[in-house]
Structure formats: structure tokens, C-alpha cells
Amino acid sequence: MSFSEITKKYRPSLTDEQCKSLDIIGECLKEKNQVMNLTALTDEKGVGLLHFWDSLTLLDTNLFKNASVIDVGCGGGFPSLPLALCSENCVITSNDATAKKLTYVAETAEKAGLSNLKTLCGRAEELATEPQYRENYDIAVARGVARLNVLCEWCLPFVKVGGYFVAMKGEKGVLEADEAKKAISVLGGELVDIMSITVPEFDYAHSLVVVKKVKPTPKNYPRRNSQIQKKPL
């Protein structure tokens, strides 16, 4: 089976055109991974389910329609690339501190025919203090990257009041959400949902932690990353 065939098996709403683009993304990932460490997964099943299908579970929140989205720490382009392909009229900003990864993401987006993805290079805690990015996005997403109490300080400052931060976590999403209660509150958020997800054929338990931005983030956040890591909220 191709990358897209294994994804479509569990997300049958994918169109033929979307499947063609997913296969392009998968081949680009496989090729580039030979010279750049983007992922431990390059086989069709691993990429199709643990990257593509997993990224597209974000659509099940029903939030990703006509939205400006920033993917913080996008790495090899997940969830950015599948989300840009399959969301309804969303504009995706792929953020990472590594320029080479963003060059790859931008080149792959172009090959896959995605015109609604752009890149932003820099550290999240620095960019989120700049007026053109602070509280400028409807949604921030992050996949893995760090524990939730740290992720909140990187991501919530990007989100408009009334918008959302969606953290893609593993099986300990509920525990991390409990640990991050203070961070969520201090940074202007409110926990609204934790969606449990099991990746088919792998039986991996994942979760989507959905936080609504209910008030502005105080101006003294985010702090420098050394402070965030040393003393998480």
C-alpha cells in the first residue's frame, strides 16, 4: 500500500487529489531523511498512520476552518503539511528554530501544491514577544516537543483571545494537563477538552489537549527559555 492508501483506509473522506499530495509528501520525507534527521519513520504504514493520520485527527476538533494557524516546533512538517492540505481554508504557519527544516517544509509544500503554508524561523519564546506575532493567530498547535506546562508558555502567547491552543500529546495527556493547570490559567487559557485517540494498527494512545484563550497573556510572558525550562509554571 502507498502512504496515502494506508491513511485513506482510516480516513475515507480523503479525495484522490489529497491522496496524490500525501504521496508526494511521503516520498519527499523518505528522500530527505537520508541526509537529514527528520523522523525515525519512513515506511508507508508508519508515515501513513503515525504522521499523516495522526496529524489529521486535529480536524476532529472542528476548529480548523477559516483559521490562521501556527504550528510551533513543526520539525519535519507535522502536523503542518497534512493540515494545510486537508483543513478548510486555513493558513498554516510552520515555525521552527532550525532553518534547514523549514526549507525542507517549504519545498515539500510547493511540490505538493500547497499555497496556504508559510514558514517562520525562530524560537517561539522570542517570536511571541514581537507585536506582529503576539496574539495574532486563531490557533496554535504543537506535536510532542515538550511537556504541556512548557508548551503553554511557548504557544498561548501566539493565540488571540477567543482562539485555541491544541497540544498533541501521548498517553499521558491527562496527567500533563493536570500538571499544567497553573500554566494554562496564568497564561490566559482555560482547559476545554481532552480527546483520546488510538492510532489504528499500532494501538498507540494519543490525546489532543484543547485549551481556549479566554484572556490576554500577561506581558511578562513568555519568559526566556532558560527560565521556562528551569522553573515551569
Side-chain angles (χ1 to χ4, degrees):
M1 298 180 80
S2 66
F3 297 106
S4 66
E5 284 174 335
I6 190 68
T7 310
K8 187 177 175 68
K9 181 179 177 182
Y10 297 101
R11 188 164 281 273
S13 59
L14 289 170
T15 67
D16 290 344
E17 286 301 312
Q18 288 170 336
C19 286
K20 289 178 183 177
S21 293
L22 285 177
D23 284 329
I24 291 170
I25 294 168
E27 291 299 333
C28 288
L29 179 69
K30 190 173 182 178
E31 180 180 351
K32 193 67 173 180
N33 205 58
Q34 295 177 7
V35 294
M36 184 186 296
N37 184 25
L38 294 171
T39 178
L41 302 166
T42 56
D43 65 288
E44 285 77 6
K45 183 178 176 181
V47 173
L49 295 178
L50 293 173
H51 284 324
F52 293 167
W53 185 90
D54 188 55
S55 294
L56 294 175
T57 59
L58 287 169
L59 302 181
D60 298 331
T61 65
N62 294 315
L63 298 175
F64 292 84
K65 298 176 183 178
N66 306 304
S68 58
V69 182
I70 183 167
D71 177 7
V72 177
C74 71
F78 303 108
S80 287
L81 292 165
L83 194 58
L85 175 65
C86 297
S87 59
E88 291 187 38
N89 301 315
C90 285
V91 176
I92 313 297
T93 298
S94 298
N95 161 249
D96 204 274
T98 304
K100 287 183 179 180
K101 289 182 179 179
L102 289 182
T103 298
Y104 159 75
V105 170
E107 290 173 349
T108 301
E110 184 175 2
K111 290 176 183 177
L114 304 177
S115 60
N116 60 331
L117 186 150
K118 51 188 177 180
T119 60
L120 176 63
C121 189
R123 299 185 66 89
E125 74 277 6
E126 296 173 359
L127 293 170
T129 65
E130 299 182 20
Q132 66 265 45
Y133 306 122
R134 188 176 183 85
E135 299 188 336
N136 187 57
Y137 299 90
D138 298 312
I139 304 172
V141 298
R143 188 172 185 242
V145 188
R147 291 191 71 82
L148 187 58
N149 54 357
V150 171
L151 273 181
C152 285
E153 193 162 350
W154 288 345
C155 295
L156 274 169
F158 284 114
V159 181
K160 300 174 182 176
V161 174
Y164 293 86
F165 165 43
V166 185
M168 306 182 74
K169 304 300 297 181
E171 62 182 358
K172 295 182 180 179
V174 173
L175 291 175
E176 288 194 41
D178 187 63
E179 177 186 57
K181 281 181 179 178
K182 179 183 176 182
I184 292 170
S185 177
V186 167
L187 297 163
E190 178 182 277
L191 180 66
V192 294
D193 198 9
I194 301 176
M195 298 175 60
S196 297
I197 294 159
T198 301
V199 181
E201 298 190 26
F202 286 92
D203 292 328
Y204 290 168
H206 288 189
S207 55
L208 300 179
V209 181
V210 183
V211 176
K212 186 172 184 178
K213 185 77 170 279
V214 294
K215 59 184 178 181
T217 299
K219 292 182 179 179
N220 51 319
Y221 297 104
R223 299 166 292 166
R224 288 194 294 268
N225 197 47
S226 59
Q227 294 175 296
I228 297 173
Q229 297 283 359
K230 189 175 180 180
K231 293 185 177 181
L233 291 171

